[in-house]
Amino acid sequence: MSNQAELDQLANAELERLQRQLRSLQLELRALLDYKTKQVKKQNHLISGLQKEHQLLVTEIITLEGGTHAKKSVVKEKNLSTLQFHEADVQRNLQTERINLWELEGHIKKIEKEINGLRKLEVPDSCYKDTICKVQKSVVKLENRLDVVNKKCSDVLTENSKLRDVINHMLQDRAKFNDMWQIMVTQYNEGKKYIMDLIDQSTLAYDQREELCNKLQLLKDRSENDKLMHIQEMREMQRRLEHDAKLQKFFDIKGQKRQNPELEQREINKKIAQKEAFEKQLEDYRGIIDRMKDLYKEPDTAKLATQFKRQEEENFALFNYVNELSSEVEVLNDTTQELTDEIERQKADLLEKEIKQKTESLEYLSEQLEKGKSQNNAAKEKAEIFDKRLHEMLMGIWEIFKQLACDDAPILNVLSSKTSMTSHNVKLFIGVIEKRINMTISTVHIDESSNTILAKKDRVPKFNVKESAKRKK
């Protein structure tokens, strides 16, 4: 029941809340409708005012178009259109006139230029005589130049022959130098190989010496250790001898008989005890012998003793044999040591001799190498001087080749595309230069007909200025 009452209360509360919300929404809707109605009224009022203004403007436009002003504007428009067409015609005529004037000015300027050119072509008598004198002087100058060129050409030919001889001599010197250089290079390589062999031998000898020194040091250390052990053993033996001497002295003192009955009785008892001990030991030995008989299955004691004696003799013989072998080993060690010392001494002498010989040979080779280097440097300097002189000669020949404007077709036929001058193809260039000089000498001739002077009537130009101007028009 309580739950039902609570549900009813909640439902009533929710209903009241919804009713309040409905009333608030109705109030808001009413206010909104009032506002919209007022706004619509204002807009209708504005629309009606604008419509009235539109009617007034339309009536004014109609009155203006239907009056005297409309007729005046139509007349003015017609006048303006006619004036515009007239102005366009005038502009076209003006443009055509300007084009005609420009063409006429161009023709006038062209005719003036032709007249000026014809005036310049007229040559007076004084100028003609001056030109003749100048031509004669130039002919004389050219003859003198030709004579000078011929002399220079002969000088150049003689110089070329001398240069050719010098070049041949230099080529021979270069060949000799190359041969000497090759011989020196082979000698240098042989000396270098010999030096490398000496270095290898010296390194091998040094390694052997180091190894032998290490072995000698090991032997010295071993001998030192043996010496120390021997000293230690000798000290131990000396100590034992001293101890034995003290014991012997003590036993000698103790072995003296004393007159003492108690001591004698004690000695007698001691002897009896020793006798009993000996008897007991004898019984033990007999038991051991019996066990040995049982073990070896030999009932006879004499045979067993002889067998043990024989075994003892064999052992003693082996001991003697071992001692003999040890003595022989010591003797062999001594002889081996002597031989090793002798070998070391001989090796040291031999190594000293080899080192001395190698040092002498190295000094000799170093002297020979220095001499070879000095000779090589001198030969290089001479070769550089010869190359420089050869380059200068080649450049001079090339300058002569270019100044004479020689034809390089034969050289191109021989050398394909490479036309640079070298010591191998210089003879080709010299041959071309000789041909060019001989050709110039053979083709230089002075024609007498070139000195003839034209007559005055032949110098008058055969044309009319007016006719030429008309033709150009």
Side-chain angles (χ1 to χ4, degrees):
M1 293 295 289
S2 61
N3 291 328
Q4 187 66 33
E6 288 178 359
L7 290 172
D8 293 336
Q9 289 178 0
L10 290 172
N12 292 324
E14 185 68 22
L15 181 61
E16 290 176 357
R17 188 180 66 78
L18 291 172
Q19 287 177 357
R20 285 195 299 271
Q21 190 174 1
L22 179 62
R23 283 195 296 272
S24 64
L25 289 172
Q26 287 176 355
L27 292 171
E28 288 177 0
L29 179 61
R30 193 177 296 162
L32 182 62
L33 289 172
D34 293 337
Y35 176 73
K36 291 294 181 183
T37 52
K38 290 179 181 179
Q39 192 173 6
V40 169
K41 286 180 180 179
K42 287 180 180 180
Q43 289 177 357
N44 290 326
H45 183 68
L46 288 171
I47 289 166
S48 62
L50 291 171
Q51 286 177 355
K52 289 178 181 179
E53 289 179 359
H54 181 264
Q55 290 293 330
L56 292 171
L57 290 171
V58 169
T59 53
E60 287 180 359
I61 289 166
I62 290 168
T63 54
L64 289 171
E65 287 179 354
T68 57
H69 295 288
K71 293 179 181 180
K72 289 180 180 180
S73 62
V74 170
V75 173
K76 287 180 180 179
E77 286 177 359
K78 289 180 180 180
N79 292 326
L80 287 171
S81 61
T82 54
L83 290 171
Q84 190 175 2
F85 287 127
H86 183 67
E87 185 180 2
D89 294 332
V90 171
Q91 289 290 334
R92 282 195 295 273
N93 293 325
L94 181 62
Q95 189 67 27
T96 53
E97 292 295 330
R98 284 179 180 176
I99 291 166
N100 293 325
L101 287 172
W102 181 72
E103 290 178 354
L104 288 172
E105 287 178 357
H107 286 296
I108 290 165
K109 288 180 180 179
K110 192 183 288 184
I111 290 165
E112 288 178 354
K113 286 181 181 179
E114 290 176 357
I115 291 166
N116 292 325
L118 293 171
R119 286 176 180 174
K120 288 179 181 179
L121 290 173
E122 291 180 358
V123 181
D125 295 335
S126 60
C127 293
Y128 192 71
K129 289 179 181 179
D130 292 335
T131 53
I132 290 168
C133 292
K134 287 179 181 179
V135 168
Q136 290 177 355
K137 288 179 181 180
S138 64
V139 169
V140 173
K141 285 181 182 179
L142 290 172
E143 288 177 353
N144 294 327
R145 286 181 183 176
L146 181 61
D147 191 10
V148 172
V149 168
N150 289 327
K151 290 179 180 179
K152 287 183 179 180
C153 183
S154 61
D155 294 334
V156 168
L157 289 173
T158 54
E159 186 68 23
N160 285 334
S161 63
K162 291 178 182 178
L163 290 173
R164 193 179 293 114
D165 296 334
V166 173
I167 288 166
N168 292 324
H169 183 66
M170 289 172 70
L171 291 172
Q172 292 175 1
D173 292 338
R174 186 178 179 84
K176 290 179 181 178
F177 170 74
N178 289 327
D179 295 334
M180 292 173 67
W181 174 259
Q182 192 65 33
I183 292 165
M184 290 173 71
V185 167
T186 53
Q187 290 178 358
Y188 175 72
N189 291 325
E190 289 176 358
K192 190 175 180 181
K193 186 177 179 182
Y194 184 67
I195 289 167
M196 293 301 293
D197 293 335
L198 291 176
I199 290 167
D200 294 334
Q201 292 176 6
S202 62
T203 52
L204 182 62
Y206 180 76
D207 294 334
Q208 291 177 357
R209 178 178 172 277
E210 287 292 327
E211 186 178 358
L212 293 172
C213 288
N214 292 326
K215 288 182 179 179
L216 182 62
Q217 188 66 31
L218 289 172
L219 292 172
K220 285 181 180 179
D221 295 336
R222 189 181 293 172
S223 64
E224 189 69 25
N225 293 326
D226 293 337
K227 184 179 178 182
L228 292 173
M229 290 175 68
H230 179 69
I231 291 167
Q232 190 70 24
E233 289 176 357
M234 291 298 292
R235 286 177 181 175
E236 186 68 24
M237 291 176 70
Q238 187 69 27
R239 188 178 63 78
R240 287 181 181 178
L241 287 172
E242 290 176 356
H243 181 67
D244 291 338
K246 287 180 181 180
L247 287 174
Q248 186 66 33
K249 187 177 180 181
F250 177 74
F251 287 145
D252 290 338
I253 293 168
K254 292 293 184 181
Q256 294 177 1
K257 292 183 179 182
R258 295 180 181 179
Q259 299 295 328
N260 193 352
E262 293 179 358
L263 184 61
E264 290 178 357
Q265 186 65 34
R266 195 182 297 165
E267 288 291 333
I268 291 166
N269 294 329
K270 187 176 180 181
K271 287 180 180 180
I272 292 167
Q274 286 179 356
K275 186 178 180 182
E276 291 176 355
F278 285 145
E279 288 177 356
K280 187 177 180 181
Q281 190 175 5
L282 182 60
E283 291 294 331
D284 293 333
Y285 286 159
R286 284 176 181 174
I288 290 167
I289 289 168
D290 292 334
R291 287 197 298 273
M292 289 174 67
K293 286 178 180 180
D294 294 334
L295 180 64
Y296 287 100
K297 295 179 181 181
E298 183 65 38
D300 192 1
T301 307
K303 290 182 180 180
L304 188 63
T306 55
Q307 187 177 357
F308 273 103
K309 284 180 181 179
R310 189 174 61 253
Q311 187 70 32
E312 187 68 23
E313 288 175 357
E314 289 178 359
N315 291 331
F316 185 72
L318 289 171
F319 178 72
N320 291 328
Y321 179 68
V322 170
N323 287 329
E324 289 176 359
L325 288 175
S326 62
S327 62
E328 288 178 0
V329 167
E330 288 178 357
V331 171
L332 289 172
N333 287 327
D334 294 335
T335 55
T336 305
Q337 186 66 33
E338 291 176 358
L339 290 172
T340 52
D341 294 336
E342 184 67 23
I343 289 166
E344 291 292 333
R345 187 177 61 77
Q346 289 180 2
K347 282 183 179 179
D349 295 336
L350 182 61
L351 182 63
E352 187 177 358
K353 288 179 182 179
E354 286 180 355
I355 290 169
K356 187 176 180 181
Q357 186 178 1
K358 288 176 182 179
T359 51
E360 290 176 357
S361 61
L362 283 172
E363 289 176 356
Y364 176 73
L365 287 172
S366 62
E367 290 177 359
Q368 292 294 325
L369 183 62
E370 291 294 331
K371 289 180 181 179
K373 285 182 179 179
S374 61
Q375 292 176 1
N376 188 11
N377 293 325
K380 281 183 178 179
E381 291 177 357
K382 288 182 181 179
E384 288 177 357
I385 293 166
F386 290 154
D387 289 336
K388 188 175 180 181
R389 291 177 63 185
L390 180 62
H391 182 68
E392 290 176 356
M393 291 177 186
L394 292 174
M395 291 302 293
I397 293 167
W398 180 251
E399 290 293 330
I400 293 167
F401 185 82
K402 288 195 292 183
Q403 287 178 2
L404 292 175
C406 297
D407 188 12
D408 57 352
I411 298 169
L412 287 172
N413 292 327
V414 177
L415 301 177
S416 67
S417 62
K418 186 178 179 182
T419 59
S420 60
M421 187 181 293
T422 60
S423 60
H424 302 288
N425 59 6
V426 68
K427 291 182 179 180
L428 295 173
F429 287 89
I430 292 169
V432 172
I433 290 167
E434 289 178 355
K435 288 180 181 179
R436 179 64 177 171
I437 291 166
N438 293 325
M439 191 182 293
T440 54
I441 291 169
S442 62
T443 55
V444 173
H445 296 288
I446 300 169
D447 295 329
E448 294 294 334
S449 61
S450 62
N451 293 325
T452 59
I453 300 169
L454 294 172
K456 186 175 180 181
K457 61 181 180 179
D458 295 329
R459 292 187 286 110
V460 177
K462 296 180 180 180
F463 60 87
N464 193 354
V465 177
K466 292 181 180 180
E467 290 179 359
S468 63
K470 287 179 181 180
R471 287 173 186 173
K472 288 180 180 179
K473 286 181 180 180

